[in-house]
Every structure is written in structure tokens, then in C-alpha cells.
Amino acid sequence: MEFISQRVKSLAVSQTLAMSQKSAELRQQGIDVINLSVGEPDFYTPDHIKAAADQAIADNYSFYSPVPGYLSLRQAVCDKLARENGLSFTPDCIVVSNGAKQALCNVILATVNPGDEVVIPTPAWVSYVEMVKLAEGITVTIPTGIDSDFKVTPERLEAAITARTRMILLCSPSNPTGSVYSRDELAALVAVIERHPDIIVVADEIYEHINYTGSFTSLGSFKSIADRVVIINGVSKAYAMTGWRIGYCAAPLAIAKAVSKLQGQYTSGASSIAQKAAEAAYTGSQECVAEMCAAFRRRRDLVVEKASQIPGLRINVPQGAFYLFPEVSALLGKTAPDGRKIETSGDLAMYLLECGHVATVDGAAFGAPGYIRFSYATSDDNLRIAMERIAKAVAALK
Ligand code: PMP
Ligand code: GLU
């Protein structure tokens, strides 16, 4: 008897979470693995946010919350979008979910019909393609590489669009490459999108605040397409709140309503306590955000310096997020001291884990074989040791 649906059988396991799990297992066996696999800030949630959660418990925020989230939180999100991005949303266009992950999946499930095409520039975060699969949509990738700083050009975007294109999904600052589109680069893509009025644009802006360029442009700020842009964001990365599971979509009213209807049937409103904490994150002092970003920038400089000294790794200088995405094809075809052949970037990631004791993620998980991803959201000391281990492991390949 086969109990598992075709839908789930066709899904890939999240490689970011799987590598992190594997590294935790090795640690439990007493092996000192440094985990550069999962992308999550290593900082604790700031105290004033934790205090708001304590207060919410004391105030008996223990009942079901409204499906799209508390009005006060949705208002705080609207104020954030106005203050930081110059956007004017009303709370009925905001739906709060269990992390940006659910917000994204909701939007895809609420708008993509079977057979619809979703255009995704790659390398792209592991879950996009799988979410499109869940909606029975068809992913159309636009592969990019290190030589174009992993950015898609207007010409290539235009070429990927067909009569069946329903959605374009963009992520800036990018996971896994750290690339950040400038306002001019986005404007050039918007000029293409303007010509295709039936396409929804989903802008994953979860790394907005981990940005070293000094400026951030939300795709929602382009008036000509604003009525079909859906913004995805949340508190996980900016406020070191990955476990609290609060994200949101800011969408045209019809899409927000559809998302709320969907969410009402399968998860209801997000955690009441976590929502009150998120509200404090948006309404309180933003100093913690700048402090964490400064720490990520220092770590970015450190890993870039160390990685650029390792023969065989070709790197770009990431302008945001907390990932480095080296190209490693020069190392493929080599043999490790234990006799294993390194044929693919996946073999390399496994070798670095098992022999170098550093967990990374194979670029293939992001649609980019020939690369590997390091998350540098860990302490400077850990990063120094990890980069030394990687240098040693790579030098041992013959
Ligand atoms: N989008 C991207 C690009 C991400 O890297 C992540 C990482 N978790 C998410 C969305 C989901 O974030 P959350 O933890 O809020 O679900
Ligand atoms: N987004 C992070 C990452 O890419 C967290 C894990 C996940 O949700 O995929 O590592």
C-alpha cells in the first residue's frame, strides 16, 4: 500500500535545513562541526522584543488571533512600509503568516494555476521551486552566474516570458548569492514587466536590512506596476527572530483576501504571542537592526578576505544577506586524501563536512551546480576557524 501522495513524493527535501540537521547530528556524535549551512542570524532576539512577548502572555494573548493577523501588527507593518519604503498600504492588504516562508507559499498557492509558468532567476532560494511544484505550476529558470554578479538582465527576463507566465519571483538582497539590485537595475526590469500587464511580481525582501550598499529599493515603489507587486518580508532576519515564525505579504487587496481565505483553512492566524513580539520589533527602536547589520558586514569582509586566498574558489563580493557563493569548478575532478573523487559541488560540500568538519550547502540545491554556499551568520572566531579548515581541506585535494 502506498500512502504518500504524488504531491509530496515530487517535492525535494529542503537542503538548507537538511545540511543543518546533518551537522547537528555530527555534533551530537562529538564531532566539532562548524555550521555554515543554514541561513539564520546567531544573535539572540533583542530584549525589548522578548519583553513584549512576556507582556503578551501576562495580558492573556492566548486566544485565536484574526486570520490575517492582529490589526495593530498589520498597522505597524503599514507604518514600516511607509517609513522605510515610501509605500502606502492599508492593513487589509497585509496578511501575517508563519514566517516569510508561509507568506510566499500562500501567495503562490493563491495565484498560480496548474500549468502556469513562474519565472525565477537562479541561483534562487531552495523553496521557491518546490512551492511552485505544490501549486502545480511550471518553473522557468533564468540561470545567471558569478560573471554577471548573479543578476538577470532585462533582455533575459523578456526572453523568459511567454503567454503562460503568471508570476516573476525576485529576491534582493539575494539568498544564496548576496547580490543586491540597484534602483536602476530594478527600473530596467520594471520596464520589461510594464509590457506584460497580466504578470504578478513577487518581491522577496526578507534580507532588506542586511544590506551593505547603503540603499534599498522595494519593488513596490515602482508606481507603474505597484498594483501587481506582492512584497514578502518578515522579522526573521532583521530582528534575529527565526524561531518566532512571523512574516507577511503586502499585496493588492484581491490577493490579500485570497491569501487570508487560504490561510484560514489550513493554519489560521499566526502565533498570538509571536505577533505581539513582531509588533514591538516594528514599533520599537531600530538600533538593533543597524548593529546586527554592522556585525554581518564585518563578517562578510572577513570571509571574503579569507575565501579569496583559497585557490580554487572564485568569489564575488556579496552586497547583502549573509551568504558567500563561491564558484568551485576548478576543484572538480580532484581526489581527496581518503580516495574519494570530487566530481560535483555536492561531493565537495560532503567532503568539506565529513573531512573538513564545516557544513556548507551544495549550489545545486539553489539551481546552481558548480557553486557552494557559506552562511557567515556565525561568530568571527567560528568563521576564522571554518575558513582555515576549508583552506586546508581544499589544499589536500590532488
Ligand atoms: N525567503 C528567503 C530568501 C529566505 O532565505 C528565507 C529563509 N528562511 C525565507 C524567505 C523564509 O523566512 P522565514 O524564516 O521568515 O520563513
Ligand atoms: N532561509 C534560510 C536558508 O536558506 C533558512 C533555512 C530555510 O528556511 O531554508 O538557509
Side-chain angles (χ1 to χ4, degrees), residues 350-387:
M350 218 28 97
Y351 166 67
L352 291 178
L353 177 62
E354 290 170 357
C355 302
H357 299 159
V358 179
T360 60
V361 184
D362 176 11
F366 307 94
Y371 293 82
I372 55 174
R373 187 188 81 172
F374 304 152
S375 162
Y376 56 83
T378 186
S379 71
D380 299 35
D381 282 348
N382 264 349
L383 288 172
R384 270 192 208 95
I385 302 168
M387 296 314 287

Side-chain angles (χ1 to χ4, degrees), residues 71-149:
L71 182 58
S72 53
L73 172 57
R74 286 182 288 134
Q75 186 59 56
V77 167
C78 292
D79 295 346
K80 174 257 180 257
L81 290 167
R83 181 178 70 232
E84 296 183 346
N85 311 111
L87 307 179
S88 60
F89 276 94
T90 50
D92 51 358
C93 291
I94 311 295
V95 181
V96 175
S97 301
N98 296 294
K101 199 177 234 176
Q102 190 192 7
L104 261 164
C105 200
N106 277 343
V107 169
I108 291 171
L109 288 173
T111 59
V112 173
N113 281 312
D116 285 352
E117 291 178 358
V118 178
V119 173
I120 305 178
T122 54
W125 181 46
V126 290
S127 296
Y128 296 157
V129 171
E130 305 305 319
M131 289 173 181
V132 172
K133 259 191 222 166
L134 274 183
E136 296 175 57
I138 297 165
T139 295
V140 175
T141 59
I142 311 178
T144 68
I146 198 162
D147 296 321
S148 62
D149 195 24

Side-chain angles (χ1 to χ4, degrees), residues 99-101 104 125 128 171 175 204 206-207 236-237 245 323:
K101 199 177 234 176
L104 261 164
W125 181 46
Y128 296 157
C171 180
N175 176 5
D204 184 346
I206 189 82
Y207 293 99
S236 295
K237 316 285 170 171
R245 310 306 305 132
Y323 306 105

Side-chain angles (χ1 to χ4, degrees), residues 2 74 88 92 106 120 155 175 202-203 224 239 244 248 250 288 293 308 312 316 324 342 352 361 368-369 376 386:
E2 175 59 90
R74 286 182 288 134
S88 60
D92 51 358
N106 277 343
I120 305 178
E155 295 74 25
N175 176 5
V202 174
S224 59
Y239 301 94
W244 296 79
Y248 64 84
C288 55
C293 182
S308 54
N316 66 332
L324 184 70
I342 308 296
L352 291 178
V361 184
Y376 56 83

